[in-house]
């Protein structure tokens, strides 16, 4: 009777309070009813809407600005955009590390938002302050040097701001759901879908309203809107402070991994126990600092770190550079298992990089007039990708997931890597369609060199944008969930940074690929990248990307089928992982 009463009391207590090592804004154990879940994450999704509106208002028009105002040729402008995109999506590795190790996610988002806002203010000044303008006249053959310096300083300040903002904000939103609570865990699986719904909604407004203002009113007017929106998002973020749950930073997440590696090397000659349950794990009394992971059979050489060398000395008193827990070893394995998947996603990222460069540039050569003389800004075509993603995410969340849950018994519907792989098929299709459309456009130019492709509607680009938008609903959302879920709990900001670094590294690789292809094709006759689109052969470049992505997808399937997912204990004793055959996180 007393046991039953104790269980009931514990159940009521866990329902009222959140015991996942998070705290509220006053440093106390969070009250479930008034903190976290959707009441907190909706604030965060609203901020992401505002930030993405600002970011894509710049990113999608950048190649046009560099071409029209900076007078860069096609190759140089594309490389400049790729370099900026690469820095912007690699900076989160630094920001994510700071958030996880020292500052915490809330503080990192706040500081990086201030830096982001300073970049936008400087960008606005470069458009209005007479001494910082590109030139005094409305049109000039070459911009002032001071304008170039201030402009690039501003956009790279925005890169630095994004570096802290992006990984910390998304993981901070996911932290608002308690994974040990059944109802909140299911909500968390929906969180990444609705996060991307908010992201794409911001993108949609950025590439329509903001880009229209840039195109028809002026670049400076667009910058004012972006600055005001970012300032508003900072205010919203601060207002939500009492509703958030906060994860306290635990120091550098790299130190325990180094300890595991050193301990495994030091213990390499010790005999491996016949029963894996004999491997060292923390006692029950110390499990309040995080979840325990079950032992897996992969990368067994690291398990040597968990073998107790001297049993006469208490395991807790032994040097952490000589003895590690099963959980620490498994966390090291998680990071090592991420590397092949990260590498396998680079060809996909290279395909995605084309949407902000060559896809947008194609739009400038087509007929953008609709209705009574209304002209669509070239960058607004990107809205079709956002619409494709919004519709796909909604259908996936509301229709496919419930059906797949019943069919597979998996809480997510399908495994994370299956979702990513399915989306990769769309990226191959995008490149094939893009190649066919560009060949059609070049055919029109050949027939009428004077008028060029202005007789073709810009909506010829619609299929490639929509297809990649649908694919992103599977691949990009899946990647976000994968890199958040499959890293150690103490590294979740870094996990989101790993996802962003795929896109960042792919941007740099795209630039290198353009340079290499330009060099090779120029030697064999005519370069695929001329001074403008009409003297280029982008269709051949798209075919090359389609082939690379298709070949890479075969490797990806091989890796995904053999991937060992994170296995979280559902009870305290490590032996339960073997005795009861408990499943890890549903993946």
């Amino acid at each position: 009777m007393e046991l039953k009463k104790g269980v009931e009391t514990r159940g009521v207590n866990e329902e009222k309070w959140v015991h996942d090592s998070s705290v509220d804004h006053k440093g106390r154990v969070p009250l479930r009813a008034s903190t976290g879940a959707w009441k907190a994450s909706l604030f965060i999704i609203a901020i992401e809407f505002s930030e993405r509106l600002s970011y894509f208002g710049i990113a999608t028009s950048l190649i046009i600005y560099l071409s029209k105002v900076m007078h860069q040729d096609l190759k140089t402008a594309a490389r400049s955009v790729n370099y900026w995109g690469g820095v912007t999506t690699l900076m989160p590795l630094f920001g994510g590390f700071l958030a996880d190790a020292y500052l915490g996610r809330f503080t990192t988002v706040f500081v990086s938002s201030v830096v982001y806002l300073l970049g936008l203010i400087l960008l606005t000044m470069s458009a209005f302050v007479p001494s910082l303008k590109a030139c005094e006249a409305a049109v000039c053959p070459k911009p002032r040097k001071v304008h170039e310096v201030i402009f690039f300083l501003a956009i790279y300040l925005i890169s630095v701001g994004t570096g802290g903002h992006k990984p910390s904000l998304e993981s901070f939103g996911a932290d608002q759901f308690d994974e040990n609570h059944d109802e909140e865990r299911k909500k968390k699986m929906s969180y990444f879908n609705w996060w991307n719904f908010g992201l794409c909604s911001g993108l949609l407004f950025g590439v329509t309203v903001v880009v229209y203002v840039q195109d028809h009113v002026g670049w400076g007017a667009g910058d004012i809107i972006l600055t005001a929106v970012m300032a508003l998002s900072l205010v919203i973020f601060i207002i939500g402070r009492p509703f958030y749950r906060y994860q306290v930073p635990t120091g550098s997440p790299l130190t325990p991994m180094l300890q595991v590696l050193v301990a495994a090397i030091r213990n390499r000659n010790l005999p491996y126990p016949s029963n894996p349950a004999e491997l060292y794990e923390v006692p029950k009394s110390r499990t309040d600092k995080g979840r325990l992971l079950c032992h897996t059979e992969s990368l067994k050489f690291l398990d040597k770190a968990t073998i107790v060398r001297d049993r006469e000395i208490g395991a807790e008193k032994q040097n952490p550079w000589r003895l590690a827990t099963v959980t620490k070893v498994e966390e090291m394995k998680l990071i090592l298992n991420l590397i092949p998947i990260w590498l396998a996603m680079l060809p996909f990222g290279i395909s995605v990089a084309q949407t902000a460069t060559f896809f947008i540039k194609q739009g400038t050569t087509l007929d953008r007039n609709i209705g009574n003389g209304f002209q669509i800004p070239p960058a607004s075509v990107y809205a079709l990708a956002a619409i494709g993603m919004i519709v796909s995410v909604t259908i996936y969340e509301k229709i496919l997931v419930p059906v797949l849950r019943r069919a597979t018994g998996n809480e997510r519907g399908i495994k994370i890597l299956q979702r990513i792989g399915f989306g990769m098929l769309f990226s191959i299709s995008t490149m094939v369609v893009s190649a066919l459309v560009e060949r059609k456009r070049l055919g029109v130019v050949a027939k009428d060199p004077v008028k060029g492709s202005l007789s073709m509607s810009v909506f010829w680009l619609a299929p490639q944008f929509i297809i990649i938008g649908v694919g992103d609903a599977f691949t990009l959302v899946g990647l976000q969930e994968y890199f958040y879920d499959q890293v150690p709990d103490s590294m979740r900001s870094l996990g989101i940074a790993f996802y962003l670094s795929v896109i960042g590294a792919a941007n740099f690789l795209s630039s290198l690929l353009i340079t290499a292809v330009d060099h090779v094709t120029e030697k064999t006759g005519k370069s695929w990248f001329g001074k403008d689109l009409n003297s280029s052969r982008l269709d051949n470049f798209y075919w090359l990307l389609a082939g690379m992505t298709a070949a890479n997808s075969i490797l990806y399937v091989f890796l995904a089928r053999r991937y060992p997912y994170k296995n979280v204990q559902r009870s305290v004793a490590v032996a339960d992982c073997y005795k009861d055959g408990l499943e890890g996180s549903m993946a």
Side-chain angles (χ1 to χ4, degrees):
M1 186 70 179
E2 288 182 3
L3 178 62
K4 183 177 179 182
K5 184 177 179 181
V7 171
E8 289 176 353
T9 302
R10 185 168 67 249
V12 171
N13 187 47
E14 288 176 354
E15 187 62 36
K16 185 176 181 180
W17 304 97
V18 180
H19 297 286
D20 65 348
S21 74
S22 62
V23 296
D24 66 10
H25 70 292
K26 293 184 178 180
R28 306 168 301 189
V29 175
L31 187 65
R32 193 179 300 280
S34 59
T35 64
W38 289 120
K39 69 180 71 66
S41 61
L42 286 177
F43 272 97
I44 294 167
I45 291 173
I47 300 158
E48 176 65 4
F49 168 87
S50 302
E51 190 275 333
R52 289 292 88 180
L53 185 151
S54 297
Y55 175 81
F56 280 101
I58 296 169
T60 52
S61 295
L62 186 55
I63 193 168
I64 298 170
Y65 188 88
L66 293 173
S67 299
K68 285 187 174 181
V69 180
M70 299 294 193
H71 298 287
Q72 294 184 352
D73 60 30
L74 179 64
K75 288 180 290 188
T76 307
R79 280 199 292 261
S80 296
V81 173
N82 283 329
Y83 288 145
W84 179 73
V87 171
T88 303
T89 43
L90 285 176
M91 278 300 296
L93 289 171
F94 179 68
F97 176 80
L98 284 180
D100 286 339
Y102 304 112
L103 297 180
R105 285 155 199 160
F106 177 86
T107 303
T108 304
V109 172
F110 177 78
V111 172
S112 58
S113 295
V114 172
V115 174
Y116 199 124
L117 186 59
L118 288 175
L120 287 171
I121 291 171
L122 196 58
L123 193 64
T124 305
M125 289 173 63
S126 73
F128 286 104
V129 176
S131 60
L132 301 180
K133 285 184 176 182
C135 56
E136 294 179 5
V139 179
C140 56
K142 189 176 181 181
R144 291 171 174 169
K145 193 68 179 176
V146 67
H147 178 78
E148 289 187 36
V149 172
I150 295 300
F151 176 80
F152 282 109
L153 177 61
I155 64 172
Y156 278 99
L157 266 178
I158 291 167
S159 290
V160 173
T162 304
H165 196 285
K166 197 77 176 100
S168 305
L169 187 64
E170 185 168 359
S171 54
F172 187 53
D175 288 344
Q176 305 308 311
F177 301 90
D178 180 6
E179 291 188 1
N180 298 316
H181 188 271
D182 289 343
E183 186 179 343
E184 288 197 16
R185 187 170 67 252
K186 288 184 178 180
K187 289 177 180 177
K188 187 173 190 172
M189 292 171 188
S190 297
Y191 162 76
F192 288 98
N193 290 323
W194 293 118
W195 166 271
N196 281 278
F197 184 95
L199 181 157
C200 286
S201 298
L203 186 161
L204 188 60
F205 277 86
V207 301
T208 51
V209 177
V210 174
V211 166
Y212 180 82
V213 171
Q214 290 171 339
D215 199 53
H216 289 80
V217 181
W219 296 101
D223 294 338
I224 289 175
I225 294 173
L226 300 181
T227 305
V229 167
M230 193 63 207
L232 177 63
S233 75
L234 187 57
V235 173
I236 293 172
F237 184 64
I238 295 170
I239 291 173
R241 190 167 178 264
F243 301 100
Y244 303 143
R245 297 173 189 168
Y246 305 81
Q247 295 290 335
V248 180
T250 55
S252 173
L254 304 180
T255 302
M257 293 184 188
L258 188 58
Q259 289 174 336
V260 167
L261 188 59
V262 171
I265 294 172
R266 283 181 166 178
N267 296 349
R268 64 188 181 278
N269 295 322
L270 295 180
Y272 194 86
S274 57
N275 184 3
E278 295 178 20
L279 300 175
Y280 174 62
E281 183 57 281
V282 293
K284 298 179 182 180
S285 59
R286 291 173 57 195
T287 57
D288 59 334
K289 293 189 176 181
R291 299 185 299 168
L292 298 181
L293 301 180
C294 292
H295 173 259
T296 61
E297 293 297 321
S298 64
L299 303 170
K300 288 192 70 171
F301 69 95
L302 292 174
D303 292 338
K304 291 280 187 174
T306 64
I307 299 174
V308 180
R309 180 186 293 265
D310 189 350
R311 294 191 176 274
E312 294 182 2
I313 303 175
E316 295 179 53
K317 296 180 181 179
Q318 294 201 28
N319 189 333
W321 295 92
R322 289 186 176 275
L323 179 66
T325 65
V326 168
T327 293
K328 292 299 179 188
V329 169
E330 290 303 317
E331 288 180 343
M332 179 69 166
K333 290 180 183 179
L334 288 175
I335 297 302
L336 293 177
N337 286 328
L338 290 177
I339 296 172
I341 299 295
W342 188 93
L343 291 171
M345 295 312 303
L346 291 176
F348 163 78
I350 293 173
S351 296
V352 171
Q354 310 315 312
T355 59
T357 54
F358 293 135
F359 282 19
I360 300 296
K361 191 65 177 174
Q362 281 175 290
T364 63
T365 68
L366 301 174
D367 179 18
R368 294 178 280 115
N369 292 306
I370 59 172
N372 296 321
F374 179 80
Q375 191 175 68
I376 303 172
S380 292
V381 187
Y382 203 101
L384 295 170
I387 293 169
M389 191 170 182
I390 289 170
V391 173
S392 299
V393 165
T394 306
I395 292 173
Y396 184 82
E397 173 66 25
K398 293 298 183 181
I399 300 174
L400 290 181
V401 169
V403 172
L404 290 170
R405 277 176 178 165
R406 289 193 294 270
T408 65
N410 189 310
E411 281 185 319
R412 285 193 172 90
I414 55 175
K415 295 180 179 181
I416 302 176
L417 292 180
Q418 289 176 337
R419 178 177 185 172
I420 294 169
F422 185 69
M424 288 174 69
L425 298 176
F426 286 91
S427 67
I428 300 170
S429 303
T430 301
M431 290 298 105
V432 171
V433 170
S434 302
L436 294 173
V437 171
E438 178 61 7
R439 182 163 293 181
K440 164 72 175 175
R441 193 192 69 81
L442 289 174
V444 172
V445 172
K447 289 180 180 178
D448 188 356
V450 177
K451 191 175 181 182
S453 54
L454 288 175
S455 59
M456 278 182 70
S457 170
V458 73
F459 290 105
W460 273 89
L461 300 178
Q464 63 201 63
F465 276 103
I466 292 172
I467 293 169
I468 202 160
V470 173
D472 286 352
F474 291 91
T475 302
L476 290 186
V477 179
L479 281 172
Q480 290 166 27
E481 193 171 1
Y482 169 76
F483 282 109
Y484 177 88
D485 186 75
Q486 295 298 308
V487 297
D489 291 356
S490 62
M491 295 178 63
R492 283 177 158 171
S493 293
L494 264 176
I496 297 298
F498 292 151
Y499 146 69
L500 293 167
S501 70
V502 171
I503 308 301
N507 273 283
F508 283 116
L509 287 175
S510 179
S511 292
L512 291 174
L513 184 62
I514 290 170
T515 302
V517 170
D518 179 48
H519 181 71
V520 171
T521 54
E522 195 171 38
K523 280 188 172 182
T524 58
K526 183 182 178 183
S527 172
W528 288 358
F529 304 100
K531 185 172 178 59
D532 54 35
L533 281 180
N534 292 344
S535 60
S536 303
R537 287 304 304 266
L538 282 188
D539 55 329
N540 291 338
F541 184 61
Y542 292 152
W543 282 119
L544 175 64
L545 292 181
M548 287 173 52
T549 310
N552 178 71
S553 64
I554 298 171
L555 172 63
Y556 175 82
V557 170
F558 175 82
L559 294 171
R561 287 173 65 89
R562 287 159 180 76
Y563 185 83
Y565 285 96
K566 186 177 184 179
N567 196 7
V568 179
Q569 288 190 43
R570 297 303 185 198
S571 58
V572 174
V574 70
D576 287 344
C577 289
Y578 314 101
K579 183 179 69 177
D580 298 332
L582 293 174
E583 294 182 0
S585 334
M586 283 288 187

